[in-house]
Amino acid sequence: MDEGVPLGAVSSALHGAFVELVFVPPGPEVSIRSVSLLDAADLADTQATADLCLVVGVPDAQVVAWLDELALRASGDRPRAVMVKGVTVATHHAARQCGIALLSVHTQARWERLLSMIRGVLDHSVVRTPLDPVGDDTDLYGLARTIATLTKGMVSIEDERSHVLAYSAADDAADELRTLSILGREGPADYLRRLDEWGVFDRIRRSDDIVEVPADETLRIRRRLVVGIRSIPDATGAVTTLGSIWIQEGQQPISADADGVLRGAAAVAARLIKRNRDAPTNEALQIQRLLGARGGRVDVPSLAAALSISDSGPAAVIGFAAIGDEEVAPFSAPIRLHASAFHRSSLATALGGRIYVLFPGEIAVRSLESWTREAIVRIEQRTGIALRAALVAPVAALSDVAAARFEVDRVLDRTTGDLRVTTLAESRTSVLLGEIVELVANHEHLHDPRIESLRQYDAKNASTMTGSLRVYLAHFGDVRAAAEELRVHPNTLRYRIKRVEQILGADLSDPDDRLLIELQLRIGNQP
């Protein structure tokens, strides 16, 4: 089981621009596996919390009272670390009393940016240690340190929306633009407008050129170099902009060979960003293990603790699949947001071309069905892509979730979307018949060679005996109804059926013959 990332590593990854460690309890190193934002209403929630809680917009007196209340809880029911803005003596004392690590957050830092960066550390289990920065480019923070060492500048790596992904340590020469961008704030409007007028953003999106941005004394902005991070061309030659790397000149001039360093760094960053985006997060892996998708025995209580959910009580599992050949993965984020709005403890992950949502706790089946239909309608209205879903509820315990996901897959494998939201009980005929046909199809010794003889007869004589037989059986031997569907005279169909019986050597008035032949006809034509 993953023990998480040391709190010191999380803090050092942020290099003091966001947070400062105020208090760490004595004893074993604090390990962080999950993080969440808490507001005033959340503090009253007695459910298990994340390991690291970011307390947002809560008065100091209420934070102190909350910490005092946490001291009365068992250690497994309280966070391991708390981040707040503006640590007071009272807050510090309360954290010490309950043995919870306390970190102070920069007053100008954006909570959502801080949450995103911490999740980036946790998702990929990157332990930041003060290693020799040269050659430490196995992750974006290591790459930023390497670039900074080689170029003698201060480095920021940003995504395509100009959100900071990683950065190197700063010295006293860090300007306002660098500080604000790391804190999640926009830089001076006049300077950003000037960058746009100079075409800086267009150039780094459209080429691999190194762009020099001169210093601006009036805006107190120091000289910079920037290069776009662009993906390796795919089979069609298409290139995607993944972000940019910025070097701010510090106390020393940027080195003369910085252009070459930046070109190489952009290629490395492209691979790292793509790897991070393609790799499942730690949370996704934990959810997938809980759903039985990763093999091996599962420690349900430990997984539940890592995911900040209760390991006791009922649950529900819903699986989503596209109708047709559409990719379903792009809808993972919208479904996750819809699910969280409906039930805050919900968990979602994309797996094997499907999206699964786990709802821990007791929820009325009717409410789950209603939410699922609403989610499908919203996505179809926004994208034009039709989804279908299978629901298993209630699941007796969290340990039964893997079996529930298997049941969801059984339903999705054997239904086509005629019922947009369904269950095994509602689709049992389709599911069981499909599985029986698949079982027969996969065992050649169960194939009836007479059906192949009939198909060969059709191929040789350009006839439609097989199709006529299928329609005849579907109408339970009603010649007139079958003939009407086939648009032939009833006598014509009677002749065909008689000829079919001769070719097969079977009596279609015999129930056993009819059952066997209809089953054999479904092989290769499963719904």
Side-chain angles (χ1 to χ4, degrees):
M1 181 67 197
D2 180 15
E3 294 301 324
V5 180
L7 179 61
V10 176
S11 176
S12 66
L14 304 174
H15 285 298
F18 277 123
V19 301
E20 177 186 359
L21 276 172
V22 176
F23 166 72
V24 179
E29 189 167 23
V30 177
S31 181
I32 304 298
R33 296 172 297 186
S34 57
V35 59
S36 66
L37 287 173
L38 300 182
D39 59 19
D42 296 325
L43 298 189
D45 190 349
T46 59
Q47 297 296 319
T49 58
D51 290 338
L52 174 58
C53 292
L54 281 53
V55 182
V56 182
V58 181
D60 180 64
Q62 192 171 349
V63 174
V64 172
W66 176 62
L67 290 171
D68 289 343
E69 190 273 330
L70 288 177
L72 302 177
R73 295 190 197 175
S75 59
D77 293 332
R78 62 191 185 199
R80 300 178 180 184
V82 171
M83 288 186 178
V84 297
K85 287 186 178 181
V87 173
T88 65
V89 173
T91 309
H92 192 175
H93 176 74
R96 283 181 175 275
Q97 290 299 109
C98 65
I100 293 177
L102 182 64
L103 300 95
S104 177
V105 177
H106 194 291
T107 55
Q108 286 189 289
R110 286 189 178 275
W111 284 110
E112 67 273 16
R113 181 66 59 81
L114 178 57
L115 178 65
S116 175
M117 296 186 74
I118 293 172
R119 279 178 172 164
V121 176
L122 300 185
D123 283 345
H124 304 288
S125 298
V126 178
V127 179
R128 321 290 181 193
T129 54
L131 301 174
D132 176 5
V134 179
D136 180 20
D137 58 359
T138 57
D139 59 79
L140 290 174
Y141 277 92
L143 179 62
R145 290 196 294 269
T146 299
I147 301 169
T149 299
L150 295 176
T151 64
K152 299 181 174 58
M154 289 173 281
V155 178
S156 296
I157 301 176
E158 302 181 357
D159 67 13
E160 67 276 19
R161 299 182 302 278
S162 298
H163 293 168
V164 174
L165 299 174
Y167 50 89
S168 65
D171 60 31
D172 294 339
D175 60 23
E176 183 183 18
L177 176 61
R178 175 179 171 82
T179 302
L180 291 176
S181 64
I182 292 175
L183 290 171
R185 304 283 177 175
E186 285 192 351
D190 289 344
Y191 183 72
L192 295 176
R193 184 167 53 252
R194 196 164 301 177
L195 289 178
D196 193 46
E197 291 171 354
W198 289 340
V200 172
F201 297 118
D202 281 340
R203 287 183 65 185
I204 64 175
R205 279 194 297 265
R206 299 186 182 192
S207 74
D208 297 321
D209 294 343
I210 310 300
V211 180
E212 180 175 1
V213 181
D216 189 312
E217 293 184 5
T218 60
L219 295 173
R220 293 178 296 179
I221 303 298
R222 299 179 69 91
R223 173 178 175 251
R224 278 171 168 73
L225 297 180
V226 58
V227 64
I229 302 172
R230 307 170 76 231
S231 66
I232 298 171
D234 60 19
T236 66
V239 174
T240 303
T241 299
L242 301 174
S244 55
I245 303 176
W246 295 78
I247 301 179
Q248 183 216 304
E249 193 166 73
Q251 295 174 343
Q252 304 178 60
I254 295 174
S255 63
D257 61 351
D259 284 14
V261 173
L262 274 178
R263 287 193 178 89
V268 173
R271 291 194 295 272
L272 292 174
I273 291 174
K274 186 175 187 306
R275 183 188 71 188
N276 287 348
R277 291 182 179 180
D278 291 345
T281 65
N282 274 347
E283 180 181 273
L285 288 172
Q286 289 162 352
I287 298 171
Q288 290 167 14
R289 291 183 65 194
L290 198 57
L291 291 169
R294 293 283 166 179
R297 299 186 63 180
V298 175
D299 183 349
V300 172
S302 295
L303 281 174
L307 294 167
S308 300
I309 59 176
S310 173
D311 66 345
S312 61
V317 177
I318 300 174
F320 292 86
I323 296 177
D325 299 326
E326 299 291 341
E327 285 285 335
V328 73
F331 309 120
S332 180
I335 287 176
R336 181 177 185 176
L337 290 176
H338 288 317
S340 295
F342 173 68
H343 187 68
R344 61 177 295 179
S345 296
S346 63
L347 302 166
T349 186
L351 180 66
R354 289 172 181 165
I355 297 169
Y356 300 91
V357 182
L358 169 64
F359 290 101
E362 189 169 352
I363 307 175
V365 175
R366 190 179 298 275
S367 296
L368 285 169
E369 290 178 344
S370 178
W371 171 80
T372 305
R373 294 183 193 281
E374 288 177 7
I376 287 174
V377 169
R378 288 182 180 180
I379 288 174
E380 186 167 357
Q381 287 175 342
R382 292 182 61 186
T383 67
I385 305 301
L387 299 181
R388 57 194 178 96
L391 166 69
V392 177
V395 178
L398 212 58
S399 57
D400 299 321
V401 163
R405 191 208 121 209
F406 175 72
E407 185 173 315
V408 164
D409 284 340
R410 288 180 67 194
V411 176
L412 292 177
D413 286 343
R414 300 301 170 198
T415 55
T416 58
D418 294 335
L419 295 174
R420 299 295 287 276
V421 179
T422 188
T423 64
L424 179 58
E426 294 170 334
S427 304
R428 197 174 298 277
T429 297
S430 297
V431 172
L432 293 180
L433 184 57
E435 290 176 345
I436 290 169
V437 171
E438 182 179 27
L439 178 65
V440 174
N442 290 335
H443 291 78
E444 192 171 349
H445 68 280
L446 296 178
H447 295 191
D448 189 335
R450 296 177 296 177
I451 302 300
E452 183 58 29
S453 298
L454 184 63
R455 290 178 174 138
Q456 289 176 0
Y457 178 90
D458 280 339
K460 182 178 179 180
N461 297 280
S463 61
T464 57
M465 296 297 181
T466 305
S468 298
L469 173 61
R470 186 177 285 112
V471 173
Y472 173 77
L473 293 173
H475 285 280
F476 306 103
D478 185 332
V479 172
R480 291 191 177 277
E484 184 176 350
E485 181 177 334
L486 292 168
R487 296 185 179 181
V488 299
H489 194 278
N491 287 339
T492 301
L493 180 58
R494 289 189 182 96
Y495 166 78
R496 290 180 183 176
I497 296 304
K498 190 171 184 179
R499 185 75 183 104
V500 165
E501 288 180 320
Q502 292 172 349
I503 297 169
L504 294 178
D507 179 5
L508 294 179
S509 66
D510 182 279
D512 289 345
D513 276 351
R514 286 201 310 273
L515 176 61
L516 176 62
I517 290 169
E518 189 165 6
L519 182 62
Q520 294 288 322
L521 285 172
R522 288 178 177 265
I523 296 176
N525 294 283
Q526 299 101 312

